[in-house]
Amino acid sequence: MADRRDGGSIPVAPLTQIDVTPRLLRVALCALGFLAFFAMTDFDLYMRPEFGALAALVAMFFAGRTPWRELAALPVVRMLGIFIAFLIVHSLYATWVVPDIGYSDQLSTAAKLVRLGVFCCVVGWWLSVCPRAIPGLLGLMVLGLLVAVLYHMPWHSLPEIWDGKMRPRFGIPENLSGQLAAVGGWLALCLLIGIWRDHPHGSRRNWLLAVGFVAYAGSFCVLLFSQSRGAWLAFLSATPLAILGYWLTRRPRGIRTLPLQPLVLATVISVLLVLGARDIFATRFAGADRMLPAAEEAAEQAAEQAADSVLPADAQPVVHVPKKASSETAAPAQSAAVAEPAPVADVGSTIDMTVPGNKAIGIRVRLYELGVEKFKERPWLGWGLDSTGSLIESAHLDLAGERHVHLHNSYLDALVGMGLVGSLLLLTLFVLVMRELVLAWRGGIISTASFWALAGCVGIVLVANAFDSLLWRFEYARAPQELLFGCCIAYALIRRRGADAAVTAARRT
């Protein structure tokens, strides 16, 4: 994905300089290949993707002190250490807030975020040693997703799937498969553009293009079959923005024009598949015409009730007080009449959840309202990352008979679980990671095409997590992020090695 003609050249430090033997490097790359292939899959064979990241972590212990010294010099890794310390102390605080949930349970949920951060650093360091493996690992992610789809696809129910009557799981939750398919489709499109632009003409190029188009079409089908409106919106918003960003930022470096042929062909494939899956859209958006009027009616009722509860300044409430009652008794009666609150209409309760298209939205609205309420009660430190399910259960919400352990919004989950303090620490971590990616792009370490490929994946993840809680709860959501954010850390390490080498050379001269 990095090409000198595209404004990016990746310097690779010699293995002897960073004390890594070729055999150890091969072991680490095999571990990362395992992580990449199973990052978006579940074959019911206990092939957990993070086993590969764990093996890469063990391999780092045999690489000497260099990995730990280089990682410790990064601001994002230092910030990660502060965040981990906060999570340990915050888990103890959460046991005081919700005594029914033990410290081990709170710490186990917090450990999911810790694993995400630590494995990003591990993957990033190994990729900094061999950055040319990045395109292959991203391709393995897409390949693993398609193999899992072929493995789990209920082929006998394919007509029902196209009609929108059945929602296949592919071994993982439907919303998660939608997000992974959106990421896989974007990566397949990026690989297509790279092959079309950089690979020499010949039969091998034609075969690679054919495989790329099949990968894109397969990922787009999984995106449609997932019936996840959040994933649809994420793909529809992040992909054009990333392409437009590449188009606008290629000129300062004299980059060749963006090839339009793969984009046009991918658009044609997408339109044909959308037309073929029109029944899926009809099912998912059924009842949308009745949703907005219901919300408007609820808002009008709430405004009318609030207006009725507020009396004009010159109007006095009529309070019937017995003649024998003293003025001391009448005054409290009058104040009670004025202060009596009017009931506020619940917008979520007005949504007709008997319509299939409205059920998920109605449940989310109720969960969002609960999340905002709980956040206002404890805005600074929250309730604990493992307390969300207990809060939902104790609220006794009408969730159409379903049980939910999160608020279907990662950002609201973070605010309720960790409060403003923890959420700001998490946001700072993300900003530092993206800052390293931008600095690497400005320094010519990463090409413009690769920069926008990673930025598009991050954009899809960010948008999809506004409609579901997929940031750290599931292993098959963390594993792709470990590779994507690991690439950002890898480029940061490469950039710092180059800067250190330049300083050393300047001192010698």
Side-chain angles (χ1 to χ4, degrees):
M1 294 177 68
D3 183 19
R4 293 181 183 272
R5 294 170 298 179
D6 196 21
S9 60
I10 298 179
V12 183
L15 296 183
T16 55
Q17 179 180 341
I18 51 180
D19 300 329
V20 175
T21 63
R23 180 177 298 179
L24 185 60
L25 180 61
R26 286 194 294 268
V27 171
L29 290 179
C30 289
L32 295 184
F34 182 94
L35 170 67
F37 184 79
F38 292 101
M40 300 183 179
T41 63
D42 185 4
F43 292 105
D44 300 325
L45 300 174
Y46 299 100
M47 297 296 186
R48 318 303 294 183
E50 290 185 345
F51 287 169
L54 183 61
L57 175 61
V58 174
M60 278 184 61
F61 287 99
F62 295 94
R65 300 179 180 178
T66 303
W68 317 102
R69 185 175 63 251
E70 289 186 338
L71 287 172
L74 292 179
V76 61
V77 177
R78 296 176 181 176
M79 189 65 210
L80 177 62
I82 297 174
F83 184 62
I84 292 175
F86 168 80
L87 289 177
I88 295 174
V89 176
H90 186 265
S91 298
L92 185 62
Y93 157 81
T95 59
W96 172 73
V97 176
V98 186
D100 295 338
I101 302 177
Y103 179 68
S104 60
D105 294 330
Q106 295 282 3
L107 200 60
S108 297
T109 303
K112 297 178 180 179
L113 267 173
V114 174
R115 290 206 298 271
L116 175 61
V118 171
F119 287 154
C120 284
C121 296
V122 173
V123 172
W125 189 84
W126 283 113
L127 290 181
S128 70
V129 177
C130 189
R132 293 189 177 91
I134 292 177
L137 293 176
L138 297 180
L140 270 179
M141 287 174 56
V142 181
L143 177 62
L145 173 65
L146 297 179
V147 172
V149 170
L150 295 176
Y151 176 78
H152 288 286
M153 174 67 78
W155 297 103
H156 60 282
S157 303
L158 196 57
E160 289 80 3
I161 295 175
W162 279 106
D163 293 338
K165 300 177 182 178
M166 181 179 177
R167 194 176 180 187
R169 292 180 60 90
F170 302 120
I172 53 180
E174 296 89 340
N175 293 337
L176 178 55
S177 65
Q179 174 186 305
L180 298 181
V183 173
W186 169 241
L187 289 176
L189 182 59
C190 292
L191 292 174
L192 266 175
I193 295 173
I195 294 171
W196 194 288
R197 183 195 57 203
D198 300 328
H199 205 280
H201 291 273
S203 58
R204 182 181 179 185
R205 178 177 184 264
N206 296 333
W207 278 107
L208 289 175
L209 288 175
V211 172
F213 281 117
V214 170
Y216 175 79
S219 300
F220 197 84
C221 284
V222 178
L223 177 61
L224 296 177
F225 295 160
S226 69
Q227 300 188 20
S228 173
R229 286 166 291 199
W232 294 345
L233 178 62
F235 185 81
L236 188 62
S237 58
T239 299
L241 289 177
I243 294 175
L244 180 62
Y246 175 80
W247 182 270
L248 295 177
T249 56
R250 63 188 172 86
R251 296 188 183 279
R253 300 185 182 186
I255 302 171
R256 294 180 302 166
T257 182
L258 177 67
L260 297 179
Q261 295 89 336
L263 294 177
V264 172
L265 291 176
T267 302
V268 171
I269 293 174
S270 303
V271 171
L272 293 177
L273 291 175
V274 167
L275 292 176
R278 58 187 179 275
D279 292 337
I280 296 178
F281 292 95
T283 302
R284 293 303 289 169
F285 291 103
D289 55 334
R290 285 180 282 170
M291 186 178 304
L292 185 59
E296 291 178 349
E297 182 182 354
E300 291 176 359
Q301 291 178 358
E304 292 175 359
Q305 293 171 357
D308 293 340
S309 63
V310 177
L311 296 175
D314 57 348
Q316 297 294 332
V318 179
V319 182
H320 298 282
V321 183
K323 294 181 179 180
K324 294 183 180 180
S326 63
S327 59
E328 296 178 356
T329 308
Q334 292 179 356
S335 62
V338 176
E340 182 179 356
V344 179
D346 182 8
V347 178
S349 62
T350 63
I351 298 177
D352 184 9
M353 293 197 299
T354 60
V355 180
N358 294 353
K359 180 179 178 181
I361 296 179
I363 291 175
R364 279 169 169 79
V365 170
R366 293 189 173 107
L367 291 174
Y368 294 167
E369 291 173 345
L370 174 65
V372 172
E373 176 186 348
K374 293 301 180 182
F375 166 70
K376 290 180 178 178
E377 292 179 8
R378 292 186 177 274
W380 294 109
L381 292 175
W383 297 79
L385 288 174
D386 196 49
S387 305
T388 310
S390 178
L391 295 175
I392 296 174
E393 186 177 357
S394 61
H396 302 291
L397 300 176
D398 180 15
L399 302 178
E402 297 182 1
R403 181 178 180 272
H404 294 263
V405 296
H406 54 77
L407 299 172
H408 281 281
N409 187 309
S410 292
Y411 314 118
L412 194 55
D413 272 333
L415 288 171
V416 173
M418 299 182 293
L420 283 172
V421 176
S423 300
L424 287 176
L425 290 175
L426 184 61
L427 177 62
T428 304
L429 268 175
F430 172 76
V431 171
L432 289 176
V433 171
M434 298 311 298
R435 175 179 175 269
E436 295 291 353
L437 181 63
V438 173
L439 291 177
W441 171 63
R442 289 181 175 178
I445 304 300
I446 180 176
S447 68
T448 303
S450 299
F451 171 79
W452 286 108
L454 292 176
C457 292
V458 173
I460 290 173
V461 172
L462 292 179
V463 176
N465 275 275
F467 303 94
D468 220 313
S469 188
L470 306 173
L471 195 60
W472 69 83
R473 293 185 178 276
F474 302 100
E475 186 175 11
Y476 300 100
R478 294 194 302 269
Q481 295 177 71
E482 290 163 6
L483 284 167
L484 296 176
F485 293 130
C487 291
C488 301
I489 294 176
Y491 293 127
L493 291 170
I494 294 172
R495 183 178 64 86
R496 289 182 176 271
R497 285 180 196 148
D500 294 342
V503 172
T504 303
R507 289 177 179 176
R508 290 178 180 176
T509 57

